[in-house]
Amino acid sequence: MAPTRCLLTLTLQIMSKPNEPKTQTVSDALNHAIEKFPTTPIAEVKATVPQDAARWRELVQQRNAQQKKKIKNMRKQLGVSVELLEIAGVTVRKLTPKEVSPHFENHVYIDVHGGAYVFFGGLPSIEEGLLIASRLGIIVLSIDYAMPPNAPAPAALCDLKAVYLALLDSVDSRCILVGGTSAGAGLVLALIQSLAAESISLPCAIYTGTPWVDLTQAGDSRQVNEGADRVLVTYEGLLQSAAALYAGTIDLSHPSVSPIYGDFTSFPPVFIVAGTRDLFLSDAVRLHRKIRDFNGTSQLEIVEGLSHAEYLIAHETPESYMTYDELRAFFLQHL
């Protein structure tokens, strides 16, 4: 089993405050990105919760419209071509880098986007897929899965499974890699557990970025890093409401929505990344331990000073490049 490895020193006592001084142990580029990303006060986040389906749709449209601007700029910057497909009735975007690495020829990466299970459908779904296609030199299939309020669980999981099974008709499972960040990582884990339960061939390795593996309130970092996480800020309010919206009639502790409570027998090797300020740091640590308890292979990377998914949000920082370099090395190790 691969040992736990930390990119930099683990620190949990940094608190986010207005006009906060620069963090001395992260790159200048990350500090600059932080300055452009002001932290919303905890009370405001807790109060900003849509009260019905119509208001959820309005918020989703607003967030997605903002994200589209970033995605269009990333496409131009990275030079990744995007092709709209339909696989097993599910919308999928094929992302092809300028050059496919010889190491990843005949391989494909299935990308499962994050967004609290409700945001970033459509074009915004390809954000991390663009980075992985470009930085790893691999063809990516980014799945635009169904989401609430129109389609709560298990709709998203069913979409992922349908695409994966269809892909097995033309691609050997040993040439398939799967991954995602946050809610996307949670869906990836739930998918692997569902496939394993039916003895379906599993991908050769998976990636879980700052995984949201527990939709209940559990996890030490949910309290310790409240307010320190510049991105999520707090679990109470929007996140808690999004979790309930996604789960629908399914209990929050059911493995299909909270895979940390599921079976990790015979799991493929798992790469896990989180940050010292991440509200979901405990999810990453618990996942790493759970996989090792089942005698699986897990590599845990904890990045100094990062809030939730900032390796993706601030993608032009050394911390971001380092994260995806580690992911590339992990995948090559397990091909």
Side-chain angles (χ1 to χ4, degrees):
M1 293 181 287
T4 304
R5 302 172 62 239
C6 295
L7 294 178
L8 293 171
T9 304
L10 178 64
T11 305
L12 287 173
Q13 302 304 318
I14 309 169
M15 296 303 294
S16 178
K17 302 179 180 67
N19 303 316
E20 180 184 3
K22 290 184 177 181
T23 302
Q24 299 301 315
T25 52
V26 303
S27 70
D28 289 341
L30 180 58
N31 268 316
H32 181 65
I34 291 168
E35 290 172 358
K36 297 191 299 182
F37 196 91
T39 302
T40 306
I42 294 174
E44 185 177 329
V45 175
K46 290 182 178 181
T48 310
V49 179
Q51 299 303 309
D52 54 39
R55 292 180 183 177
W56 265 111
R57 293 188 186 96
E58 182 180 340
L59 180 60
V60 168
Q61 290 176 357
Q62 177 186 344
R63 294 278 183 92
N64 288 1
Q66 294 171 348
Q67 189 72 354
K68 279 183 181 179
K69 298 176 183 178
K70 179 181 181 181
I71 300 307
K72 290 178 179 178
N73 289 333
M74 288 178 66
R75 284 180 62 182
K76 293 179 182 178
Q77 176 190 4
L78 299 173
V80 175
S81 66
V82 181
E83 180 184 358
L84 191 64
L85 306 175
E86 184 176 290
I87 300 176
V90 181
T91 299
V92 175
R93 288 171 176 82
K94 182 180 179 181
L95 314 179
T96 305
K98 291 179 180 178
E99 294 184 14
V100 175
S101 167
H103 298 292
F104 292 116
E105 285 183 3
N106 304 316
H107 289 76
V108 65
Y109 174 85
I110 298 177
D111 170 53
V112 185
H113 72 87
Y117 295 100
V118 294
F119 300 112
F120 305 149
L123 187 63
S125 65
I126 66 174
E127 180 182 16
E128 188 165 38
L130 289 172
L131 282 182
I132 288 177
S134 175
R135 292 184 179 175
L136 273 66
I138 190 171
I139 292 175
V140 173
L141 296 179
S142 185
I143 303 179
D144 192 0
Y145 55 84
M147 292 184 288
N150 295 335
L157 183 57
C158 290
D159 282 353
L160 266 60
K161 193 171 182 178
V163 172
Y164 183 85
L165 292 176
L167 193 60
L168 284 181
D169 290 337
S170 56
V171 182
D172 191 296
S173 64
R174 292 171 294 182
C175 295
I176 299 176
L177 301 157
V178 184
T181 278
S182 193
L187 280 167
V188 166
L189 294 166
L191 170 65
I192 300 302
Q193 289 173 348
S194 178
L195 296 173
E198 297 181 32
S199 299
I200 297 170
S201 298
L202 302 178
C204 64
I206 65 175
Y207 154 60
T208 60
T210 179
W212 192 1
V213 298
D214 191 340
L215 271 59
T216 74
Q217 188 67 7
D220 180 63
S221 63
R222 307 280 176 95
Q223 287 75 44
V224 174
N225 276 354
E226 183 177 53
D229 189 320
R230 296 173 289 262
V231 177
L232 298 181
V233 183
T234 179
Y235 195 77
E236 294 182 28
L238 190 65
L239 278 177
Q240 201 169 40
S241 182
L245 189 70
Y246 169 69
T249 59
I250 301 174
D251 189 272
L252 290 175
S253 62
H254 192 279
S256 64
V257 296
S258 292
I260 193 66
Y261 301 111
D263 188 354
F264 287 85
T265 304
S266 302
F267 241 59
V270 183
F271 181 90
I272 309 168
V273 63
T276 60
R277 287 175 172 248
D278 198 338
L279 201 69
F280 290 168
L281 176 57
S282 288
D283 289 50
V285 171
R286 293 168 64 202
L287 173 62
H288 175 67
R289 174 49 52 194
K290 192 72 175 283
I291 292 168
R292 290 171 66 90
D293 286 346
F294 277 81
N295 297 315
T297 297
S298 173
Q299 179 172 320
L300 174 62
E301 300 286 355
I302 302 174
V303 189
E304 167 72 358
L306 286 195
S307 296
H308 183 73
E310 277 188 320
Y311 56 85
L312 173 58
I313 296 169
H315 66 271
E316 294 183 313
T317 61
E319 287 84 355
S320 176
Y321 282 101
M322 178 172 56
T323 297
Y324 293 105
D325 284 347
E326 291 285 342
L327 174 61
R328 182 179 184 275
F330 181 85
F331 279 167
L332 291 176
Q333 180 184 353
H334 295 287
L335 288 182

